Amino acid sequence: MNGGSGTLRSIDEEIKKKKWPTDRAYFLAKELLMTERTYKKDLDVLNTWFREELTPEDVENLQPLFQYFDSMLEHHSVFLRDLEHRILLWEGRGGHETHRIGDVMLKNMVVLPIYDEYVECHREILQRLNDLYENDERFQQAYRDFEQQKVCYLPICYFVVKPLHRLLHYQLLLELLLEHYGEDHFDRTDCHGTLMMLLRTTQVVRQELAASENYTLLCEVQRDLVGFDTLVQTDRKLVRQGCLLKHSKRGLQQRMFFLFSDILLYAFKSPVTQTFKVLGHVPVRSLLTENAEHNAFVIFGGQRAITVSAGTTAEKKLWLDELTKAAASVKHKPQTQLPLVSVKYCTSSEENLETCGLNNSSIISPPARAPSSRNNTALHVCWHRGVTICLDDHLRSGKNQISGYLLRKFKNSSGWQKLWVVLTSFCLYFYKSYSDDAALASLPLLGYSVGPPGIQDAVQKEFVFKLSFKNHTYFFRAESEHTYQRWLEVLQSATQMQDLKLTSGNNHHTSNSHNNNINSNASTSAQE
């Protein structure tokens, strides 16, 4: 009896499977639809929600931003409606001729002139936002208040760069479709024509994106940093940020290091304000390094030596290579005097010995700052997880964004829960549905490993991948082999930093919090 019922069930499942398309093109078109839903909501975050929080004067000051986002939203609302209609037809309500997406994408390319203009002027918009933030206390408060709202799940300036990422994602999906179709497919001509139109714009995007990403990172680090007020400079580049253990008379101390093209800063995170207080700096021009035993190395600058340890041998090599490269690069540039007035050291007696000969009269206690609302940004996660990332990691993260429904299960539970999941900026965001405004929880991925479950996990389902960090383990199930592979691909990009696979076994950083307020969020706010 049981065997018969099992057979019936498997036949039912087989029939159900056959109702749905299995073609790779369908899943690529569906990824386009899913990510378009997220993109339209991202445009709305600034154009609707943020705009509502601002005074008429602020809106006027940011008119270019809202003008472009208005136009984009108008086009993408139509595009999203067309995509939803096409996927419905593809899923059985239309004939074979509807199993295509190139014509829908080609029609949407009417929006490209708006993007061409936006790519040209988006940096001015970023600069205008930063100028208002730095020079107008009332605007700064409105800005910070909005970033604390759940609907604003990323820093505001990240949303400004989203349209550039979106164009690159269109290009990627079109290239994957063309690779799948071969020469004779009836959708090929429209897809190829769309790609040719798009490439003219994405070529410019690729030229602009590194500088734009760098600018947004400088702005974000500045807002989390106390003790160095002139971080955002035209020719300054953020090379790498991450945790190292600094050797001192009191033992090993966790410090956040920021390597810029012209200066190395190190700081610690205040448990009270959640901001990073700068403890010292080394001009890159005078910087030298020396290898030491195990994962330790010495940084020489000015009249002092700082001994630090990295979490892994691979991480140590990255730091040494980039410190050496930065020092060599700056030697060929004209010397500029760093404005020491901008360096304000905290009053820690140990660290005051390391302020490049500045006497105590120059030490200024930094003003108290409101606690940061954004503990799941890469900067804060680097501190909690003891990891390091570079500008290239951020650029790769911008290209690897995905949205869609996944089934999630915790390590010790048997049930699966359907969630709408958005991957962006090294972080997973969980929603009940794509139409929800605020995420139930978030899971930062830096330091995590991703791959198929092992035999010991006893997961008997198809298309399952496992995310794990120390004793934190999550299982996710995709709907198809293709979707599984796509999620695995983008997650590997978000979890494995360039040339670096951090393993918890090698990592001897002492921060155990694993981002307390984040991961507890991710594990409790969406119960099985």
Side-chain angles (χ1 to χ4, degrees):
M1 195 75 167
N2 286 341
S5 135
T7 308
L8 276 174
R9 193 176 299 114
S10 64
I11 292 169
D12 285 345
E13 285 171 1
E14 196 58 41
I15 292 168
K16 189 176 179 185
K17 274 185 189 175
K18 283 181 180 175
K19 283 184 181 177
W20 298 98
T22 54
D23 183 22
R24 187 163 182 239
Y26 162 75
F27 291 112
L28 288 168
K30 196 168 178 183
E31 180 180 334
L32 178 63
L33 167 63
M34 299 297 193
T35 50
E36 189 68 18
R37 284 171 172 166
T38 297
Y39 178 57
K40 183 178 174 292
K41 288 181 79 69
D42 286 345
L43 292 175
D44 262 324
V45 169
L46 292 198
N47 199 55
T48 303
W49 296 82
F50 183 47
R51 193 199 294 228
E52 284 176 1
E53 301 297 317
L54 300 178
T55 64
E57 183 188 354
D58 293 334
V59 173
E60 183 62 33
N61 283 329
L62 293 171
Q63 192 51 40
L65 171 67
F66 297 124
Q67 184 181 326
Y68 282 112
F69 272 42
D70 257 339
S71 301
M72 289 173 190
L73 268 166
E74 190 179 332
H75 282 280
H76 286 281
S77 298
V78 175
F79 182 42
L80 182 56
R81 187 193 65 205
D82 291 347
L83 283 174
E84 286 174 336
H85 180 62
R86 178 55 54 87
I87 294 296
L88 276 175
L89 292 174
W90 206 327
E91 289 174 347
R93 296 166 180 81
H96 178 68
E97 71 282 355
T98 62
H99 297 182
R100 59 193 297 175
I101 202 66
D103 57 329
V104 180
M105 292 195 76
L106 188 60
K107 178 184 167 188
N108 184 53
M109 288 303 105
V110 71
V111 77
L112 274 181
I114 295 167
Y115 278 91
D116 289 331
E117 288 181 27
Y118 186 74
V119 171
E120 200 174 302
C121 78
H122 76 281
R123 195 90 50 78
E124 289 173 29
I125 292 170
L126 285 168
Q127 287 165 354
R128 190 173 296 196
L129 266 172
N130 191 53
D131 289 345
L132 285 167
Y133 184 94
E134 294 296 332
N135 300 313
D136 184 339
E137 286 186 15
R138 183 195 49 75
F139 179 82
Q140 181 178 132
Q141 192 58 51
Y143 190 106
R144 292 169 67 83
D145 288 347
F146 182 70
E147 284 199 329
Q148 290 183 26
Q149 293 187 26
K150 285 187 175 181
V151 71
C152 185
Y153 67 105
L154 297 170
I156 286 171
C157 56
Y158 285 25
F159 289 103
V160 178
V161 187
K162 281 279 184 180
L164 281 68
H165 293 154
R166 189 63 182 144
L167 293 179
L168 295 178
H169 195 212
Y170 290 153
Q171 180 184 333
L172 171 67
L173 291 177
L174 283 163
E175 287 169 347
L176 291 172
L177 276 165
L178 287 167
E179 184 185 297
H180 168 66
Y181 282 153
E183 293 300 321
D184 302 322
H185 197 281
F186 65 97
D187 194 27
R188 183 178 180 82
T189 303
D190 283 342
C191 284
H192 186 263
T194 307
L195 181 59
M196 290 302 102
M197 293 174 72
L198 193 59
L199 282 172
R200 286 195 291 271
T201 305
T202 55
Q203 195 173 356
V204 182
V205 167
R206 289 179 196 281
Q207 292 165 3
E208 295 285 329
L209 199 53
S212 301
E213 292 273 12
N214 181 63
Y215 185 82
T216 60
L217 288 171
L218 290 179
C219 291
E220 285 307 303
V221 172
Q222 179 72 86
R223 285 160 203 174
D224 272 324
L225 211 60
V226 173
F228 194 85
D229 291 344
T230 56
L231 194 61
V232 183
Q233 301 287 332
T234 310
D235 53 355
R236 177 171 287 146
K237 180 182 171 187
L238 175 60
V239 180
R240 176 167 294 279
Q241 62 185 29
C243 270
L244 293 169
L245 295 177
K246 181 177 170 297
H247 297 229
S248 74
K249 290 175 183 175
R250 289 179 286 176
L252 296 176
Q253 296 180 317
Q254 185 178 355
R255 295 289 180 254
M256 191 74 182
F257 278 74
F258 302 90
L259 174 60
F260 300 97
S261 50
D262 61 336
I263 190 169
L264 175 71
L265 302 177
Y266 59 96
F268 82 100
K269 186 175 181 181
S270 162
V272 179
T273 64
Q274 299 296 304
T275 53
F276 289 87
K277 293 186 177 180
V278 174
L279 300 173
H281 79 286
V282 177
V284 168
R285 188 177 291 276
S286 65
L287 188 150
L288 292 169
T289 59
E290 183 180 280
N291 198 2
E293 288 186 345
H294 305 298
N295 292 332
F297 58 97
V298 187
I299 301 168
F300 297 95
Q303 301 300 310
R304 59 193 169 143
I306 307 166
T307 304
V308 292
S309 286
T312 65
T313 307
E315 188 183 341
K316 169 185 170 178
K317 184 177 185 306
L318 280 181
W319 276 107
L320 282 173
D321 287 351
E322 288 187 347
L323 286 163
T324 305
K325 189 177 171 185
S329 174
V330 83
K331 281 184 171 66
H332 304 297
K333 295 177 183 175
Q335 187 155 2
T336 53
Q337 185 64 39
L338 277 169
L340 283 182
V341 70
S342 72
V343 184
K344 302 173 185 175
Y345 295 95
C346 87
T347 53
S348 155
S349 57
E350 177 214 347
E351 299 293 353
N352 282 342
L353 299 174
E354 303 178 344
T355 57
C356 289
L358 293 176
N359 60 34
N360 284 338
S361 64
S362 65
I363 296 165
I364 305 167
S365 296
R369 193 182 284 190
S372 169
S373 63
R374 201 151 298 291
N375 277 342
N376 59 357
T377 58
L379 169 56
H380 290 272
V381 179
C382 280
W383 175 265
H384 286 294
R385 306 267 172 87
V387 295
T388 174
I389 55 173
C390 64
L391 178 60
D392 284 343
D393 294 321
H394 280 279
L395 288 167
R396 193 163 43 255
S397 169
K399 296 172 191 171
N400 288 280
Q401 305 187 27
I402 196 168
S403 310
Y405 282 106
L406 292 173
L407 296 173
R408 182 186 67 168
K409 140 179 169 32
F410 292 119
K411 187 177 181 180
N412 299 317
S413 67
S414 56
W416 294 82
Q417 178 190 26
K418 187 177 181 180
L419 291 169
W420 174 258
V421 185
V422 174
L423 170 61
T424 186
S425 299
F426 309 105
C427 193
L428 287 175
Y429 295 89
F430 303 103
Y431 303 77
K432 280 186 181 176
S433 149
Y434 71 83
S435 58
D436 289 356
D437 291 326
L440 295 164
S442 63
L443 180 65
L445 295 171
L446 292 175
Y448 267 79
S449 62
V450 62
I455 297 169
Q456 73 281 4
D457 295 313
V459 176
Q460 306 297 325
K461 300 286 186 182
E462 285 185 304
F463 316 134
V464 175
F465 55 86
K466 175 170 107 174
L467 279 167
S468 51
F469 172 78
K470 296 186 178 176
N471 61 336
H472 301 271
T473 304
Y474 303 95
F475 299 98
F476 295 92
R477 183 149 55 106
E479 66 173 340
S480 69
E481 174 68 27
H482 169 82
T483 314
Y484 165 79
Q485 292 294 347
R486 280 291 293 140
W487 275 96
L488 213 54
E489 187 183 325
V490 293
L491 282 163
Q492 282 168 346
S493 170
T495 54
Q496 296 172 7
M497 287 67 75
Q498 185 180 17
D499 303 325
L500 182 63
K501 291 184 182 180
L502 293 174
T503 58
S504 55
N506 291 337
N507 195 332
H508 56 237
H509 285 293
T510 55
S511 175
N512 295 320
S513 62
H514 172 56
N515 215 352
N516 289 334
N517 60 332
I518 301 167
N519 199 66
S520 59
N521 219 8
S523 56
T524 59
S525 61
Q527 293 295 333
E528 299 290 347

